[in-house]
Amino acid sequence: MAQQWKGPLPLGCPMPYTPRYAAIVRNSFDVVVPENELKMFWSHPDPLSYDFGLGDGLVAWARDHGKTVRGHTLVFGDALADWIGQLPFSLFPAGRALLRIPNLGLDKIIPPDFLWTRQLGLAVMRDFITRTVSHYATHFPGVVPEWDVVNEAFDDEGHYNDNLFLRVIGPDYIAKAFEYAHAADPHALLFYNEYDAQEPNARQRAVAAMAADFKRRGVPIDGIGIQVHVSATDYPTSAQLRRVMREYRKLGLRVEVSELDVSAPPTRYGLERQARAYRSIVGDCRAAPNCTGITVWGVADPYSWRGDAAEPLLYDDALKAKPFFPALREMLRAPPAVALPAVAATAPRRQRSRS
Ligand code: G3I
């Protein structure tokens, strides 16, 4: 059953990089989100090894400061391991590769005439998801209660984005990824996370159709991450964003505003427009019974992925809170203004297919 959110909304952010940044995260945020440290690109440096060092440091910091971690992200076409993208097979459409992948039942050098098959694609993806989710569930029990399992699988026309797993496994790589993550940690909340799907459009319709299909088939999905990378002059109206949130609620799914940033010029007027946009989006999440968290994609402007000119975050170039942040923090911390209506119970998950 999708949860009603009764308490204050947790505010998440990517990991601190300096003592000053860490102090801000410690004092102003509830959830830490690894911007890159848990992605395949960073923790699976070659077919033979895993390196969870960076992720462990971040997750331990969160644990030690009484915070949880939003696991981001297990399958993202733009952040697959380098070795996957660089293997010879990617140069030869036939998928020729020479590599050894132990503990996948393929403990031998694969001959040059190897063809990159669906079976190997599933094995590689399953190994990464299983090793990563199990690692954190085992070593940091309860600290990583949720994961972005698949990120940005659709383009702006609602078609599948190209990536290795789509090419080799097919579109059901998405459902398989959720099944693997659920098998690795049955207690984790599993999200699909999408860019530019904060209002009804072709991409958002593709996400909703996939989510409805998953719920019908009993694929273990718990929520949708709505990233919301916007500007102070171009962001979803409350009608648009609340309609999207309501659509997922009818499916029995949670939503989170999962990567919020609002670019604006660092002028008085720009700050006012930025404050208005932040208040609008936070208000939309507060009004939605199934909206259970908000993550800003960065803490301070100098660290934003959007570059120096965007100034999209809650702390400025001097790492000082922007004037509107205290009021926003109160918005997040306040108990819900109205009793939240119960959300529809969802059909219990049917026994899932084996991969
Ligand atoms: O740290 C290395 C550095 O050592 C190296 O010299 C340099 C050049 O190769 O790369 C550096 O790593 C970069 C990393 O950011 C840290 O800056 C990676 O190349 C770069 O690809 C990576 O970009 C990240 C991007 O996701 C792709 O993974 C961004 O930081 C991160 O903000 C961005 O976040 C994504 C979410 O995961 C999904 N939603 C969209 C969002 C914004 O694109």
Side-chain angles (χ1 to χ4, degrees):
M1 177 164 180
Q3 304 301 313
Q4 286 190 34
W5 188 258
K6 296 193 184 313
L9 274 182
L11 181 60
C13 69
M15 177 59 185
Y17 296 97
T18 67
R20 174 90 181 82
Y21 194 107
I24 293 173
V25 177
R26 188 175 55 246
N27 300 328
S28 301
F29 292 87
D30 315 293
V31 178
V32 171
V33 183
E35 190 169 4
N36 293 299
E37 293 80 357
L38 301 188
K39 293 171 180 171
M40 193 184 208
F41 169 87
W42 291 58
S43 59
H44 195 9
D46 67 57
L48 312 183
S49 59
Y50 284 86
D51 179 358
F52 292 122
L54 279 176
D56 286 355
L58 181 155
V59 175
W61 187 94
R63 176 200 58 201
D64 297 345
H65 292 87
K67 303 186 189 295
T68 58
V69 172
R70 188 165 201 283
H72 176 86
T73 177
L74 296 169
V75 177
F76 178 21
D78 288 357
L80 297 181
D82 254 353
W83 54 271
I84 276 192
Q86 291 168 0
L87 278 181
F89 83 92
S90 61
L91 305 179
F92 303 104
R96 293 182 182 288
L98 182 63
L99 72 157
R100 184 165 67 87
I101 300 190
N103 69 39
L104 293 180
L106 298 158
D107 56 354
K108 60 183 184 309
I109 288 289
I110 296 173
D113 60 352
F114 159 78
L115 285 180
W116 186 250
T117 63
R118 171 178 160 87
Q119 183 235 354
L120 181 60
L122 286 168
V124 167
M125 186 175 78
R126 178 182 216 158
D127 185 66
F128 175 71
I129 292 173
T130 305
R131 291 284 295 269
T132 302
V133 175
S134 305
H135 174 83
Y136 289 99
T138 306
H139 297 282
F140 301 91
V143 183
V144 191
E146 59 184 283
W147 284 94
D148 282 335
V149 176
V150 176
N151 182 75
E152 298 174 36
F154 296 105
D155 67 16
D156 57 6
E157 294 174 354
H159 303 139
Y160 289 111
N161 275 326
D162 178 44
N163 66 53
L164 167 98
F165 292 128
L166 176 73
R167 269 189 273 150
V168 168
I169 299 168
D172 68 329
Y173 82 90
I174 304 171
K176 292 292 184 189
F178 277 89
E179 291 175 14
Y180 298 157
H182 181 70
D185 181 358
H187 305 292
L189 291 171
L190 305 180
F191 283 76
Y192 173 80
N193 193 42
E194 190 57 82
Y195 172 79
D196 192 19
Q198 59 271 356
E199 57 199 58
N201 59 33
R203 182 188 263 126
Q204 188 274 327
R205 283 189 291 274
V207 172
M210 176 192 73
D213 173 54
F214 281 10
K215 294 301 282 184
R216 268 193 304 275
R217 293 194 288 133
V219 173
I221 182 172
D222 300 286
I224 304 293
I226 307 171
Q227 292 183 10
V228 195
H229 294 296
V230 293
S231 79
T233 55
D234 180 12
Y235 59 92
T237 64
S238 289
Q240 290 171 323
L241 183 50
R242 295 188 192 194
R243 176 179 165 188
V244 168
M245 291 180 169
R246 198 166 42 246
E247 184 173 10
Y248 298 130
R249 182 176 164 221
K250 286 176 186 166
L251 292 172
L253 290 171
R254 292 167 177 251
V255 295
E256 290 196 18
V257 175
S258 56
E259 301 186 12
L260 179 56
D261 47 33
V262 181
S263 62
T267 61
R268 178 184 164 82
Y269 181 61
L271 271 175
E272 284 170 5
R273 296 293 299 267
Q274 187 176 50
R276 196 180 309 159
Y278 267 103
R279 279 197 301 270
S280 175
I281 293 159
V282 168
D284 294 338
C285 179
R286 294 287 359 217
N290 62 326
C291 186
T292 56
I294 295 181
T295 294
V296 284
W297 204 244
V299 171
D301 291 338
Y303 297 91
S304 170
W305 72 285
R306 295 186 63 176
D308 295 343
E311 314 281 344
L313 295 168
L314 300 174
Y315 282 74
D316 64 20
D317 288 344
L319 272 64
K320 278 183 62 235
K322 290 181 179 173
F324 61 86
F325 182 41
L328 202 68
R329 185 73 255 191
E330 284 319 303
M331 260 183 95
L332 286 159
R333 283 198 167 128
V338 294
L340 300 175
V343 290
T346 51
R349 286 178 190 151
R350 287 199 303 272
Q351 189 58 31
R352 272 177 294 289
S353 63
R354 295 261 171 259
S355 73

mmCIF file of all heavy atoms in Angstrom, residues 117-139:
data_model
loop_
_atom_site.group_PDB
_atom_site.id
_atom_site.type_symbol
_atom_site.label_atom_id
_atom_site.label_comp_id
_atom_site.label_asym_id
_atom_site.label_seq_id
_atom_site.Cartn_x
_atom_site.Cartn_y
_atom_site.Cartn_z
ATOM 1 N N THR A 117 25.641 -11.593 -25.658
ATOM 2 C CA THR A 117 24.284 -12.160 -25.731
ATOM 3 C C THR A 117 23.376 -11.572 -24.661
ATOM 4 O O THR A 117 23.844 -10.955 -23.694
ATOM 5 C CB THR A 117 24.375 -13.673 -25.449
ATOM 6 O OG1 THR A 117 24.860 -13.827 -24.086
ATOM 7 C CG2 THR A 117 25.320 -14.349 -26.412
ATOM 8 N N ARG A 118 22.095 -11.837 -24.822
ATOM 9 C CA ARG A 118 21.111 -11.422 -23.790
ATOM 10 C C ARG A 118 21.477 -12.038 -22.446
ATOM 11 O O ARG A 118 21.452 -11.387 -21.398
ATOM 12 C CB ARG A 118 19.717 -11.861 -24.231
ATOM 13 C CG ARG A 118 18.629 -11.698 -23.172
ATOM 14 C CD ARG A 118 17.258 -12.117 -23.685
ATOM 15 N NE ARG A 118 16.337 -12.398 -22.606
ATOM 16 C CZ ARG A 118 15.558 -11.459 -22.002
ATOM 17 N NH1 ARG A 118 15.662 -10.193 -22.394
ATOM 18 N NH2 ARG A 118 14.743 -11.796 -21.034
ATOM 19 N N GLN A 119 21.875 -13.306 -22.494
ATOM 20 C CA GLN A 119 22.203 -14.016 -21.242
ATOM 21 C C GLN A 119 23.341 -13.322 -20.518
ATOM 22 O O GLN A 119 23.302 -13.101 -19.308
ATOM 23 C CB GLN A 119 22.581 -15.474 -21.573
ATOM 24 C CG GLN A 119 22.865 -16.335 -20.348
ATOM 25 C CD GLN A 119 24.256 -16.994 -20.402
ATOM 26 O OE1 GLN A 119 24.946 -16.890 -21.410
ATOM 27 N NE2 GLN A 119 24.655 -17.626 -19.318
ATOM 28 N N LEU A 120 24.374 -12.897 -21.272
ATOM 29 C CA LEU A 120 25.516 -12.233 -20.619
ATOM 30 C C LEU A 120 25.094 -10.841 -20.157
ATOM 31 O O LEU A 120 25.450 -10.402 -19.065
ATOM 32 C CB LEU A 120 26.716 -12.144 -21.566
ATOM 33 C CG LEU A 120 27.948 -11.482 -20.915
ATOM 34 C CD1 LEU A 120 28.402 -12.285 -19.694
ATOM 35 C CD2 LEU A 120 29.077 -11.344 -21.896
ATOM 36 N N GLY A 121 24.276 -10.174 -20.964
ATOM 37 C CA GLY A 121 23.812 -8.850 -20.545
ATOM 38 C C GLY A 121 23.060 -8.936 -19.229
ATOM 39 O O GLY A 121 23.317 -8.165 -18.289
ATOM 40 N N LEU A 122 22.167 -9.910 -19.125
ATOM 41 C CA LEU A 122 21.418 -10.097 -17.863
ATOM 42 C C LEU A 122 22.372 -10.453 -16.728
ATOM 43 O O LEU A 122 22.247 -9.956 -15.607
ATOM 44 C CB LEU A 122 20.371 -11.206 -18.046
ATOM 45 C CG LEU A 122 19.136 -10.831 -18.871
ATOM 46 C CD1 LEU A 122 18.331 -12.089 -19.216
ATOM 47 C CD2 LEU A 122 18.270 -9.814 -18.134
ATOM 48 N N ALA A 123 23.355 -11.294 -17.026
ATOM 49 C CA ALA A 123 24.300 -11.720 -15.973
ATOM 50 C C ALA A 123 25.111 -10.532 -15.465
ATOM 51 O O ALA A 123 25.299 -10.360 -14.256
ATOM 52 C CB ALA A 123 25.224 -12.810 -16.526
ATOM 53 N N VAL A 124 25.578 -9.679 -16.376
ATOM 54 C CA VAL A 124 26.390 -8.517 -15.966
ATOM 55 C C VAL A 124 25.542 -7.551 -15.145
ATOM 56 O O VAL A 124 25.940 -7.087 -14.076
ATOM 57 C CB VAL A 124 26.976 -7.821 -17.209
ATOM 58 C CG1 VAL A 124 27.550 -6.453 -16.855
ATOM 59 C CG2 VAL A 124 28.059 -8.688 -17.857
ATOM 60 N N MET A 125 24.330 -7.284 -15.629
ATOM 61 C CA MET A 125 23.471 -6.333 -14.900
ATOM 62 C C MET A 125 23.068 -6.912 -13.541
ATOM 63 O O MET A 125 23.114 -6.226 -12.516
ATOM 64 C CB MET A 125 22.221 -6.025 -15.734
ATOM 65 C CG MET A 125 21.338 -4.940 -15.151
ATOM 66 S SD MET A 125 19.962 -4.495 -16.227
ATOM 67 C CE MET A 125 18.834 -5.878 -15.917
ATOM 68 N N ARG A 126 22.739 -8.191 -13.527
ATOM 69 C CA ARG A 126 22.315 -8.823 -12.263
ATOM 70 C C ARG A 126 23.462 -8.826 -11.266
ATOM 71 O O ARG A 126 23.274 -8.530 -10.083
ATOM 72 C CB ARG A 126 21.888 -10.273 -12.543
ATOM 73 C CG ARG A 126 21.476 -11.033 -11.296
ATOM 74 C CD ARG A 126 21.112 -12.465 -11.640
ATOM 75 N NE ARG A 126 20.015 -12.923 -10.817
ATOM 76 C CZ ARG A 126 19.215 -13.929 -11.129
ATOM 77 N NH1 ARG A 126 19.398 -14.539 -12.286
ATOM 78 N NH2 ARG A 126 18.253 -14.314 -10.336
ATOM 79 N N ASP A 127 24.674 -9.100 -11.749
ATOM 80 C CA ASP A 127 25.827 -9.144 -10.842
ATOM 81 C C ASP A 127 26.040 -7.779 -10.219
ATOM 82 O O ASP A 127 26.197 -7.652 -8.995
ATOM 83 C CB ASP A 127 27.071 -9.570 -11.621
ATOM 84 C CG ASP A 127 28.279 -9.744 -10.701
ATOM 85 O OD1 ASP A 127 28.241 -10.670 -9.856
ATOM 86 O OD2 ASP A 127 29.208 -8.929 -10.775
ATOM 87 N N PHE A 128 25.971 -6.732 -11.024
ATOM 88 C CA PHE A 128 26.221 -5.385 -10.478
ATOM 89 C C PHE A 128 25.150 -4.996 -9.472
ATOM 90 O O PHE A 128 25.436 -4.531 -8.360
ATOM 91 C CB PHE A 128 26.299 -4.333 -11.595
ATOM 92 C CG PHE A 128 26.431 -2.936 -11.054
ATOM 93 C CD1 PHE A 128 27.620 -2.515 -10.457
ATOM 94 C CD2 PHE A 128 25.362 -2.053 -11.086
ATOM 95 C CE1 PHE A 128 27.748 -1.238 -9.920
ATOM 96 C CE2 PHE A 128 25.482 -0.774 -10.544
ATOM 97 C CZ PHE A 128 26.677 -0.373 -9.962
ATOM 98 N N ILE A 129 23.901 -5.186 -9.839
ATOM 99 C CA ILE A 129 22.792 -4.814 -8.950
ATOM 100 C C ILE A 129 22.846 -5.634 -7.656
ATOM 101 O O ILE A 129 22.774 -5.103 -6.550
ATOM 102 C CB ILE A 129 21.441 -4.991 -9.653
ATOM 103 C CG1 ILE A 129 21.280 -3.971 -10.783
ATOM 104 C CG2 ILE A 129 20.280 -4.879 -8.660
ATOM 105 C CD1 ILE A 129 20.042 -4.176 -11.651
ATOM 106 N N THR A 130 23.038 -6.929 -7.800
ATOM 107 C CA THR A 130 23.061 -7.802 -6.623
ATOM 108 C C THR A 130 24.222 -7.463 -5.697
ATOM 109 O O THR A 130 24.050 -7.305 -4.479
ATOM 110 C CB THR A 130 23.155 -9.268 -7.081
ATOM 111 O OG1 THR A 130 22.087 -9.550 -7.986
ATOM 112 C CG2 THR A 130 23.086 -10.226 -5.894
ATOM 113 N N ARG A 131 25.421 -7.283 -6.297
ATOM 114 C CA ARG A 131 26.592 -6.986 -5.458
ATOM 115 C C ARG A 131 26.429 -5.649 -4.746
ATOM 116 O O ARG A 131 26.724 -5.506 -3.569
ATOM 117 C CB ARG A 131 27.860 -6.956 -6.343
ATOM 118 C CG ARG A 131 28.294 -8.300 -6.896
ATOM 119 C CD ARG A 131 28.964 -9.145 -5.812
ATOM 120 N NE ARG A 131 30.208 -8.552 -5.351
ATOM 121 C CZ ARG A 131 31.409 -8.810 -5.874
ATOM 122 N NH1 ARG A 131 31.503 -9.640 -6.911
ATOM 123 N NH2 ARG A 131 32.502 -8.258 -5.403
ATOM 124 N N THR A 132 25.895 -4.652 -5.475
ATOM 125 C CA THR A 132 25.798 -3.298 -4.892
ATOM 126 C C THR A 132 24.739 -3.239 -3.803
ATOM 127 O O THR A 132 25.004 -2.812 -2.674
ATOM 128 C CB THR A 132 25.478 -2.285 -6.008
ATOM 129 O OG1 THR A 132 26.497 -2.344 -7.011
ATOM 130 C CG2 THR A 132 25.389 -0.866 -5.448
ATOM 131 N N VAL A 133 23.533 -3.695 -4.117
ATOM 132 C CA VAL A 133 22.438 -3.584 -3.140
ATOM 133 C C VAL A 133 22.715 -4.464 -1.918
ATOM 134 O O VAL A 133 22.536 -4.040 -0.769
ATOM 135 C CB VAL A 133 21.090 -3.953 -3.802
ATOM 136 C CG1 VAL A 133 19.970 -3.964 -2.775
ATOM 137 C CG2 VAL A 133 20.755 -2.963 -4.917
ATOM 138 N N SER A 134 23.231 -5.662 -2.169
ATOM 139 C CA SER A 134 23.545 -6.557 -1.032
ATOM 140 C C SER A 134 24.646 -5.972 -0.156
ATOM 141 O O SER A 134 24.593 -6.070 1.070
ATOM 142 C CB SER A 134 24.001 -7.931 -1.546
ATOM 143 O OG SER A 134 23.058 -8.477 -2.412
ATOM 144 N N HIS A 135 25.642 -5.341 -0.804
ATOM 145 C CA HIS A 135 26.751 -4.752 -0.034
ATOM 146 C C HIS A 135 26.222 -3.762 0.999
ATOM 147 O O HIS A 135 26.566 -3.823 2.177
ATOM 148 C CB HIS A 135 27.717 -4.051 -0.984
ATOM 149 C CG HIS A 135 28.806 -3.288 -0.292
ATOM 150 N ND1 HIS A 135 29.966 -3.893 0.160
ATOM 151 C CD2 HIS A 135 28.910 -1.976 0.048
ATOM 152 C CE1 HIS A 135 30.725 -2.986 0.745
ATOM 153 N NE2 HIS A 135 30.122 -1.819 0.684
ATOM 154 N N TYR A 136 25.335 -2.878 0.557
ATOM 155 C CA TYR A 136 24.875 -1.830 1.483
ATOM 156 C C TYR A 136 23.836 -2.365 2.464
ATOM 157 O O TYR A 136 23.792 -1.964 3.633
ATOM 158 C CB TYR A 136 24.376 -0.614 0.688
ATOM 159 C CG TYR A 136 25.564 0.092 0.063
ATOM 160 C CD1 TYR A 136 25.910 -0.109 -1.268
ATOM 161 C CD2 TYR A 136 26.417 0.852 0.864
ATOM 162 C CE1 TYR A 136 27.046 0.472 -1.794
ATOM 163 C CE2 TYR A 136 27.568 1.436 0.340
ATOM 164 C CZ TYR A 136 27.877 1.233 -0.983
ATOM 165 O OH TYR A 136 29.026 1.786 -1.504
ATOM 166 N N ALA A 137 23.030 -3.341 1.998
ATOM 167 C CA ALA A 137 22.050 -3.921 2.938
ATOM 168 C C ALA A 137 22.764 -4.685 4.050
ATOM 169 O O ALA A 137 22.328 -4.706 5.201
ATOM 170 C CB ALA A 137 21.108 -4.858 2.173
ATOM 171 N N THR A 138 23.897 -5.298 3.700
ATOM 172 C CA THR A 138 24.637 -6.117 4.671
ATOM 173 C C THR A 138 25.497 -5.265 5.604
ATOM 174 O O THR A 138 25.461 -5.400 6.821
ATOM 175 C CB THR A 138 25.549 -7.108 3.914
ATOM 176 O OG1 THR A 138 24.753 -7.849 2.988
ATOM 177 C CG2 THR A 138 26.255 -8.050 4.881
ATOM 178 N N HIS A 139 26.272 -4.343 5.010
ATOM 179 C CA HIS A 139 27.257 -3.582 5.795
ATOM 180 C C HIS A 139 26.655 -2.344 6.462
ATOM 181 O O HIS A 139 27.233 -1.817 7.412
ATOM 182 C CB HIS A 139 28.430 -3.183 4.909
ATOM 183 C CG HIS A 139 29.196 -4.368 4.376
ATOM 184 N ND1 HIS A 139 30.105 -5.081 5.140
ATOM 185 C CD2 HIS A 139 29.146 -5.014 3.183
ATOM 186 C CE1 HIS A 139 30.603 -6.091 4.421
ATOM 187 N NE2 HIS A 139 30.035 -6.066 3.228
#
